[in-house]
Amino acid sequence: MDAQGRGRAENIDPADQWVLNPDTGEYELRLAPSAAQPSVPGPRAAAPGRTGSSGRGTRGRTTAPDRDATEPEVPPQRRRRGAPAQEPPGRRGRRPVKKSKTKKVLLWTGGVMAFVLVGTAGAAYLYVEHLNGNIKSVSDDGASTGGFNKDKAINILLIGTDKRTGAGNEGYGDAGSVGHADTTILLHVSKDRTNATALSIPRDLIVDVPDCPTEQEDGSTKVIKGTEKARFNTSLGQDGRTPSCTMRTVTELTGITPDDFMVADFNAVKTLTTAVGGVEVCLAKDIDDADSHLKLSKGTHLIEGEQALAFVRTRHSVGFGGDLSRIQIQQQFLSALMRKLKSNDTLTSPTKMIKLAEAGTKALTVDSQLDSIDKLKDLGMELGKLNTKNLTFTTVPVVDNPAEQVKATVVLNASTAPTVFQMIKDDVSFTAVKKKAQASKNAAAAAAAARLKGPQSAASEVRVRILNGGAVAGSAQSTLSWLQNDAGVTKSENAGNAPAQLGSTTLEYAPDQAAQARKLAAVMGLPGTALKPGRSVTNAQGLPTMTLTLGKDFKGPGVSVTAPTAVPDTVQKSTADKVECAK
């Protein structure tokens, strides 16, 4: 059998024999015509002296030609012992079908981690096992939701550390850093996958880091004491804190519990940008930053490796020279990287995709819910459904810390940050997107809106009991006081805690209480979706009454729980499809 038929011909990269099947949108190993192929065992180093200049060993094995040491080799096919030899998929000698633009785009749905996980059974199995061996995972210590769900919105916490491990990184800044949360992004992907929001969290934001139960190397659990009014970046690394503690801090800050986390160090930027052949970035001015080692002229540049790392680390030469300016340049870089990943020259290149698989699995540390290629592939499939024009980058709204004379840290902007958090919690897009048409959803929305239309009772005629079903402690009593003293709803009572917690506030009423329900909804600022036609119950006096259950979304008596539908004008945001130049 000739070397080419085995995928080892001179100057032929094995990855180039992986082609896109237009019928499935997946890569398959297509071999050139040759004589019948015997079974091929898994990759094995040739014994010294057994391989001649022809590249063929004395026992008939073919060795690979010289390769770049950084380029992974795709293992050949193999069969199980005792199993009959298999023909390669498809008809031998068949030309690859021409790939349409549509099929090229569809390939993106495989996501960044799904690129090389399909093909002939033997090769795929060996390579998947190899990639699984690359993955590093640590416990989420119960701080997550338990992992993302294909049928729900997804929240992934992306953490970039400032730990200087790896060749060439010791010269950057604090060489002794334990690896703080230097760059943190909460990536929210909508339930219908039409849009996503990447929320950057400033490292110098003052937050309360909660107590963090953390699994130790010996399997025991240690509670790392929390810290009030600390910098956000100390939620990782400080006092032995792990990514699960950063997760808990994000939940404390935003009210959003991440499903999973991914942690990357300096090497991730270098290896991923090199794997895709560089990322194109734009500068609005010349930059010469001695701290980050970035020296680039005004205009567009293709950067990778060390230069890419210098780009995302620079801050003194852009904007106001602080961390918030660096966040903006990082968002511009990530937008450019997303565009490169979705470009046809990346998606249709098996070589680049294999290099990406190698770089990605080696560069990232993930939580225990994402500890295999299959799980990462499933996540990649969901992320791959996004359109870059509906991926919004934004930053937690902040203001300078008023407690400092020399401004070094920031605090939440109380007027806009809650709206941003609420929009993400309620799965509201930051861009104008066309939602997937679903008749059932439309019908439900119309029915909810109809419940608010019609006559309303006088406030004095409304009879309601109030339960706390997940709101802040004391909410039922404060609402009762407000209804009786400020809203004129005197026939109201505190009924204590609900039997179960609810995510959303509800008002249950009987058909003959619809006018009362509409009045109370108007007073309380309840949306039509909160009104639940059902039955009434009797109060302490034996009179029929409605039931108002305050859910986790309850913000206070008289404060609307209706989800915000637009981002405040003062909130900075950009979308991944647009090229922006760093200023």
mmCIF file of all heavy atoms in Angstrom, residues 65-97:
data_model
loop_
_atom_site.group_PDB
_atom_site.id
_atom_site.type_symbol
_atom_site.label_atom_id
_atom_site.label_comp_id
_atom_site.label_asym_id
_atom_site.label_seq_id
_atom_site.Cartn_x
_atom_site.Cartn_y
_atom_site.Cartn_z
ATOM 1 N N PRO A 65 6.059 11.907 8.058
ATOM 2 C CA PRO A 65 7.138 12.793 7.669
ATOM 3 C C PRO A 65 7.402 13.798 8.773
ATOM 4 O O PRO A 65 6.641 13.923 9.717
ATOM 5 C CB PRO A 65 6.585 13.484 6.406
ATOM 6 C CG PRO A 65 5.108 13.429 6.577
ATOM 7 C CD PRO A 65 4.844 12.140 7.269
ATOM 8 N N ASP A 66 8.512 14.566 8.621
ATOM 9 C CA ASP A 66 8.823 15.581 9.617
ATOM 10 C C ASP A 66 7.677 16.544 9.733
ATOM 11 O O ASP A 66 7.107 16.979 8.744
ATOM 12 C CB ASP A 66 10.098 16.346 9.209
ATOM 13 C CG ASP A 66 11.325 15.443 9.300
ATOM 14 O OD1 ASP A 66 11.224 14.420 10.004
ATOM 15 O OD2 ASP A 66 12.343 15.764 8.661
ATOM 16 N N ARG A 67 7.326 16.937 10.967
ATOM 17 C CA ARG A 67 6.186 17.815 11.213
ATOM 18 C C ARG A 67 6.598 18.900 12.191
ATOM 19 O O ARG A 67 7.542 18.776 12.931
ATOM 20 C CB ARG A 67 5.015 17.049 11.854
ATOM 21 C CG ARG A 67 4.624 15.814 11.144
ATOM 22 C CD ARG A 67 3.603 15.052 11.966
ATOM 23 N NE ARG A 67 2.472 15.866 12.314
ATOM 24 C CZ ARG A 67 1.397 16.000 11.536
ATOM 25 N NH1 ARG A 67 1.346 15.408 10.385
ATOM 26 N NH2 ARG A 67 0.397 16.739 11.918
ATOM 27 N N ASP A 68 5.839 19.963 12.193
ATOM 28 C CA ASP A 68 5.988 21.001 13.216
ATOM 29 C C ASP A 68 5.617 20.384 14.557
ATOM 30 O O ASP A 68 4.548 19.781 14.700
ATOM 31 C CB ASP A 68 5.045 22.162 12.887
ATOM 32 C CG ASP A 68 5.178 23.302 13.872
ATOM 33 O OD1 ASP A 68 5.741 23.067 14.960
ATOM 34 O OD2 ASP A 68 4.726 24.400 13.530
ATOM 35 N N ALA A 69 6.467 20.511 15.531
ATOM 36 C CA ALA A 69 6.213 19.853 16.830
ATOM 37 C C ALA A 69 4.961 20.343 17.493
ATOM 38 O O ALA A 69 4.380 19.675 18.317
ATOM 39 C CB ALA A 69 7.409 20.084 17.758
ATOM 40 N N THR A 70 4.509 21.538 17.117
ATOM 41 C CA THR A 70 3.309 22.080 17.758
ATOM 42 C C THR A 70 2.045 21.630 17.073
ATOM 43 O O THR A 70 0.958 21.893 17.551
ATOM 44 C CB THR A 70 3.342 23.615 17.738
ATOM 45 O OG1 THR A 70 3.330 24.066 16.383
ATOM 46 C CG2 THR A 70 4.573 24.131 18.455
ATOM 47 N N GLU A 71 2.168 20.964 15.931
ATOM 48 C CA GLU A 71 0.971 20.583 15.179
ATOM 49 C C GLU A 71 0.551 19.180 15.555
ATOM 50 O O GLU A 71 1.319 18.235 15.408
ATOM 51 C CB GLU A 71 1.263 20.669 13.684
ATOM 52 C CG GLU A 71 0.051 20.297 12.838
ATOM 53 C CD GLU A 71 0.311 20.502 11.360
ATOM 54 O OE1 GLU A 71 1.280 21.200 11.025
ATOM 55 O OE2 GLU A 71 -0.431 19.945 10.557
ATOM 56 N N PRO A 72 -0.667 18.988 16.048
ATOM 57 C CA PRO A 72 -1.110 17.656 16.455
ATOM 58 C C PRO A 72 -1.292 16.740 15.259
ATOM 59 O O PRO A 72 -1.636 17.190 14.179
ATOM 60 C CB PRO A 72 -2.449 17.925 17.147
ATOM 61 C CG PRO A 72 -2.921 19.181 16.516
ATOM 62 C CD PRO A 72 -1.701 20.001 16.224
ATOM 63 N N GLU A 73 -1.050 15.481 15.486
ATOM 64 C CA GLU A 73 -1.218 14.506 14.427
ATOM 65 C C GLU A 73 -2.555 13.822 14.576
ATOM 66 O O GLU A 73 -2.957 13.440 15.657
ATOM 67 C CB GLU A 73 -0.098 13.473 14.505
ATOM 68 C CG GLU A 73 -0.221 12.368 13.457
ATOM 69 C CD GLU A 73 0.927 11.390 13.567
ATOM 70 O OE1 GLU A 73 2.034 11.821 13.893
ATOM 71 O OE2 GLU A 73 0.699 10.192 13.340
ATOM 72 N N VAL A 74 -3.288 13.678 13.472
ATOM 73 C CA VAL A 74 -4.554 12.970 13.513
ATOM 74 C C VAL A 74 -4.274 11.493 13.422
ATOM 75 O O VAL A 74 -3.696 11.031 12.432
ATOM 76 C CB VAL A 74 -5.463 13.391 12.341
ATOM 77 C CG1 VAL A 74 -6.765 12.615 12.406
ATOM 78 C CG2 VAL A 74 -5.725 14.869 12.395
ATOM 79 N N PRO A 75 -4.606 10.719 14.421
ATOM 80 C CA PRO A 75 -4.301 9.289 14.391
ATOM 81 C C PRO A 75 -5.033 8.607 13.248
ATOM 82 O O PRO A 75 -6.149 8.998 12.888
ATOM 83 C CB PRO A 75 -4.809 8.770 15.743
ATOM 84 C CG PRO A 75 -4.930 9.987 16.591
ATOM 85 C CD PRO A 75 -5.262 11.094 15.649
ATOM 86 N N PRO A 76 -4.417 7.558 12.652
ATOM 87 C CA PRO A 76 -5.093 6.820 11.587
ATOM 88 C C PRO A 76 -6.221 5.982 12.139
ATOM 89 O O PRO A 76 -6.369 5.828 13.342
ATOM 90 C CB PRO A 76 -3.971 5.950 11.017
ATOM 91 C CG PRO A 76 -3.047 5.743 12.186
ATOM 92 C CD PRO A 76 -3.080 7.025 12.953
ATOM 93 N N GLN A 77 -7.011 5.410 11.224
ATOM 94 C CA GLN A 77 -8.119 4.549 11.641
ATOM 95 C C GLN A 77 -7.582 3.251 12.231
ATOM 96 O O GLN A 77 -6.486 2.806 11.913
ATOM 97 C CB GLN A 77 -8.990 4.203 10.442
ATOM 98 C CG GLN A 77 -9.620 5.412 9.775
ATOM 99 C CD GLN A 77 -10.502 4.973 8.659
ATOM 100 O OE1 GLN A 77 -11.577 4.448 8.889
ATOM 101 N NE2 GLN A 77 -10.075 5.176 7.438
ATOM 102 N N ARG A 78 -8.385 2.655 13.102
ATOM 103 C CA ARG A 78 -8.034 1.337 13.596
ATOM 104 C C ARG A 78 -9.311 0.558 13.811
ATOM 105 O O ARG A 78 -10.405 1.116 13.888
ATOM 106 C CB ARG A 78 -7.248 1.425 14.904
ATOM 107 C CG ARG A 78 -8.082 1.820 16.102
ATOM 108 C CD ARG A 78 -7.263 1.708 17.363
ATOM 109 N NE ARG A 78 -8.092 1.998 18.513
ATOM 110 C CZ ARG A 78 -7.641 1.927 19.766
ATOM 111 N NH1 ARG A 78 -6.398 1.589 20.001
ATOM 112 N NH2 ARG A 78 -8.440 2.199 20.780
ATOM 113 N N ARG A 79 -9.192 -0.745 13.894
ATOM 114 C CA ARG A 79 -10.362 -1.564 14.158
ATOM 115 C C ARG A 79 -10.122 -2.382 15.414
ATOM 116 O O ARG A 79 -8.988 -2.571 15.841
ATOM 117 C CB ARG A 79 -10.654 -2.497 12.986
ATOM 118 C CG ARG A 79 -9.555 -3.518 12.700
ATOM 119 C CD ARG A 79 -9.876 -4.353 11.460
ATOM 120 N NE ARG A 79 -8.813 -5.265 11.103
ATOM 121 C CZ ARG A 79 -8.696 -6.493 11.552
ATOM 122 N NH1 ARG A 79 -9.586 -6.955 12.418
ATOM 123 N NH2 ARG A 79 -7.710 -7.265 11.179
ATOM 124 N N ARG A 80 -11.195 -2.825 16.002
ATOM 125 C CA ARG A 80 -11.071 -3.670 17.190
ATOM 126 C C ARG A 80 -10.501 -5.029 16.810
ATOM 127 O O ARG A 80 -10.722 -5.525 15.699
ATOM 128 C CB ARG A 80 -12.438 -3.854 17.856
ATOM 129 C CG ARG A 80 -13.035 -2.583 18.386
ATOM 130 C CD ARG A 80 -14.266 -2.902 19.199
ATOM 131 N NE ARG A 80 -15.265 -3.620 18.415
ATOM 132 C CZ ARG A 80 -16.210 -3.008 17.722
ATOM 133 N NH1 ARG A 80 -16.313 -1.713 17.744
ATOM 134 N NH2 ARG A 80 -17.080 -3.710 17.019
ATOM 135 N N ARG A 81 -9.822 -5.626 17.745
ATOM 136 C CA ARG A 81 -9.294 -6.957 17.478
ATOM 137 C C ARG A 81 -10.422 -7.917 17.153
ATOM 138 O O ARG A 81 -11.417 -7.974 17.857
ATOM 139 C CB ARG A 81 -8.502 -7.461 18.682
ATOM 140 C CG ARG A 81 -7.199 -6.702 18.898
ATOM 141 C CD ARG A 81 -6.417 -7.286 20.034
ATOM 142 N NE ARG A 81 -5.179 -6.582 20.251
ATOM 143 C CZ ARG A 81 -4.305 -6.878 21.197
ATOM 144 N NH1 ARG A 81 -4.549 -7.890 22.011
ATOM 145 N NH2 ARG A 81 -3.189 -6.189 21.319
ATOM 146 N N GLY A 82 -10.219 -8.708 16.104
ATOM 147 C CA GLY A 82 -11.236 -9.691 15.738
ATOM 148 C C GLY A 82 -12.322 -9.132 14.856
ATOM 149 O O GLY A 82 -13.124 -9.879 14.325
ATOM 150 N N ALA A 83 -12.366 -7.821 14.695
ATOM 151 C CA ALA A 83 -13.409 -7.241 13.848
ATOM 152 C C ALA A 83 -12.932 -7.238 12.413
ATOM 153 O O ALA A 83 -11.739 -7.112 12.137
ATOM 154 C CB ALA A 83 -13.725 -5.820 14.300
ATOM 155 N N PRO A 84 -13.843 -7.399 11.434
ATOM 156 C CA PRO A 84 -13.449 -7.379 10.023
ATOM 157 C C PRO A 84 -12.951 -6.008 9.626
ATOM 158 O O PRO A 84 -13.357 -5.002 10.182
ATOM 159 C CB PRO A 84 -14.753 -7.738 9.297
ATOM 160 C CG PRO A 84 -15.822 -7.308 10.232
ATOM 161 C CD PRO A 84 -15.282 -7.553 11.597
ATOM 162 N N ALA A 85 -12.041 -5.964 8.655
ATOM 163 C CA ALA A 85 -11.536 -4.688 8.162
ATOM 164 C C ALA A 85 -12.673 -3.882 7.561
ATOM 165 O O ALA A 85 -13.573 -4.425 6.932
ATOM 166 C CB ALA A 85 -10.446 -4.931 7.119
ATOM 167 N N GLN A 86 -12.632 -2.588 7.769
ATOM 168 C CA GLN A 86 -13.698 -1.716 7.303
ATOM 169 C C GLN A 86 -13.222 -0.869 6.130
ATOM 170 O O GLN A 86 -12.094 -0.392 6.118
ATOM 171 C CB GLN A 86 -14.148 -0.780 8.430
ATOM 172 C CG GLN A 86 -14.696 -1.489 9.638
ATOM 173 C CD GLN A 86 -16.066 -2.078 9.351
ATOM 174 O OE1 GLN A 86 -16.840 -1.520 8.589
ATOM 175 N NE2 GLN A 86 -16.353 -3.204 9.955
ATOM 176 N N GLU A 87 -14.085 -0.669 5.196
ATOM 177 C CA GLU A 87 -13.803 0.289 4.141
ATOM 178 C C GLU A 87 -13.970 1.683 4.706
ATOM 179 O O GLU A 87 -14.774 1.905 5.599
ATOM 180 C CB GLU A 87 -14.787 0.096 2.977
ATOM 181 C CG GLU A 87 -14.549 -1.188 2.184
ATOM 182 C CD GLU A 87 -13.274 -1.132 1.361
ATOM 183 O OE1 GLU A 87 -12.934 -0.021 0.901
ATOM 184 O OE2 GLU A 87 -12.628 -2.161 1.204
ATOM 185 N N PRO A 88 -13.204 2.671 4.234
ATOM 186 C CA PRO A 88 -13.403 4.050 4.703
ATOM 187 C C PRO A 88 -14.769 4.549 4.309
ATOM 188 O O PRO A 88 -15.371 4.036 3.358
ATOM 189 C CB PRO A 88 -12.287 4.826 3.992
ATOM 190 C CG PRO A 88 -11.948 3.993 2.782
ATOM 191 C CD PRO A 88 -12.159 2.578 3.199
ATOM 192 N N PRO A 89 -15.322 5.539 5.040
ATOM 193 C CA PRO A 89 -16.667 6.029 4.742
ATOM 194 C C PRO A 89 -16.743 6.603 3.341
ATOM 195 O O PRO A 89 -15.813 7.243 2.848
ATOM 196 C CB PRO A 89 -16.878 7.108 5.804
ATOM 197 C CG PRO A 89 -15.505 7.535 6.186
ATOM 198 C CD PRO A 89 -14.675 6.318 6.080
ATOM 199 N N GLY A 90 -17.873 6.388 2.700
ATOM 200 C CA GLY A 90 -18.069 6.922 1.352
ATOM 201 C C GLY A 90 -17.469 5.990 0.326
ATOM 202 O O GLY A 90 -16.845 4.970 0.607
ATOM 203 N N ARG A 91 -17.625 6.298 -0.951
ATOM 204 C CA ARG A 91 -17.103 5.481 -2.036
ATOM 205 C C ARG A 91 -15.650 5.809 -2.272
ATOM 206 O O ARG A 91 -15.258 6.967 -2.318
ATOM 207 C CB ARG A 91 -17.925 5.740 -3.282
ATOM 208 C CG ARG A 91 -17.641 4.764 -4.397
ATOM 209 C CD ARG A 91 -18.653 4.935 -5.496
ATOM 210 N NE ARG A 91 -19.983 4.616 -5.004
ATOM 211 C CZ ARG A 91 -21.082 4.858 -5.706
ATOM 212 N NH1 ARG A 91 -21.030 5.436 -6.862
ATOM 213 N NH2 ARG A 91 -22.246 4.544 -5.197
ATOM 214 N N ARG A 92 -14.788 4.813 -2.431
ATOM 215 C CA ARG A 92 -13.353 5.033 -2.594
ATOM 216 C C ARG A 92 -13.088 5.818 -3.872
ATOM 217 O O ARG A 92 -13.646 5.560 -4.914
ATOM 218 C CB ARG A 92 -12.614 3.706 -2.622
ATOM 219 C CG ARG A 92 -12.756 2.911 -1.334
ATOM 220 C CD ARG A 92 -12.131 1.555 -1.463
ATOM 221 N NE ARG A 92 -10.692 1.645 -1.678
ATOM 222 C CZ ARG A 92 -9.836 1.803 -0.688
ATOM 223 N NH1 ARG A 92 -10.257 1.929 0.537
ATOM 224 N NH2 ARG A 92 -8.538 1.846 -0.933
ATOM 225 N N GLY A 93 -12.195 6.785 -3.738
ATOM 226 C CA GLY A 93 -11.837 7.559 -4.913
ATOM 227 C C GLY A 93 -12.822 8.653 -5.252
ATOM 228 O O GLY A 93 -12.657 9.372 -6.228
ATOM 229 N N ARG A 94 -13.825 8.807 -4.453
ATOM 230 C CA ARG A 94 -14.860 9.796 -4.734
ATOM 231 C C ARG A 94 -14.351 11.199 -4.429
ATOM 232 O O ARG A 94 -13.724 11.428 -3.411
ATOM 233 C CB ARG A 94 -16.065 9.506 -3.835
ATOM 234 C CG ARG A 94 -17.304 10.290 -4.189
ATOM 235 C CD ARG A 94 -18.421 9.798 -3.291
ATOM 236 N NE ARG A 94 -19.687 10.403 -3.633
ATOM 237 C CZ ARG A 94 -20.814 10.123 -3.021
ATOM 238 N NH1 ARG A 94 -20.809 9.221 -2.050
ATOM 239 N NH2 ARG A 94 -21.933 10.701 -3.374
ATOM 240 N N ARG A 95 -14.603 12.129 -5.303
ATOM 241 C CA ARG A 95 -14.173 13.507 -5.072
ATOM 242 C C ARG A 95 -15.039 14.143 -3.987
ATOM 243 O O ARG A 95 -16.230 13.920 -3.941
ATOM 244 C CB ARG A 95 -14.287 14.344 -6.346
ATOM 245 C CG ARG A 95 -13.278 13.955 -7.408
ATOM 246 C CD ARG A 95 -13.471 14.835 -8.639
ATOM 247 N NE ARG A 95 -12.493 14.518 -9.648
ATOM 248 C CZ ARG A 95 -11.282 15.058 -9.708
ATOM 249 N NH1 ARG A 95 -10.925 15.931 -8.779
ATOM 250 N NH2 ARG A 95 -10.436 14.730 -10.638
ATOM 251 N N PRO A 96 -14.440 14.972 -3.117
ATOM 252 C CA PRO A 96 -15.255 15.671 -2.109
ATOM 253 C C PRO A 96 -16.297 16.542 -2.784
ATOM 254 O O PRO A 96 -16.015 17.209 -3.786
ATOM 255 C CB PRO A 96 -14.232 16.508 -1.341
ATOM 256 C CG PRO A 96 -12.920 15.847 -1.617
ATOM 257 C CD PRO A 96 -13.025 15.268 -2.990
ATOM 258 N N VAL A 97 -17.502 16.523 -2.231
ATOM 259 C CA VAL A 97 -18.571 17.338 -2.790
ATOM 260 C C VAL A 97 -18.264 18.808 -2.547
ATOM 261 O O VAL A 97 -17.773 19.192 -1.484
ATOM 262 C CB VAL A 97 -19.918 16.974 -2.132
ATOM 263 C CG1 VAL A 97 -21.032 17.824 -2.723
ATOM 264 C CG2 VAL A 97 -20.195 15.495 -2.337
#
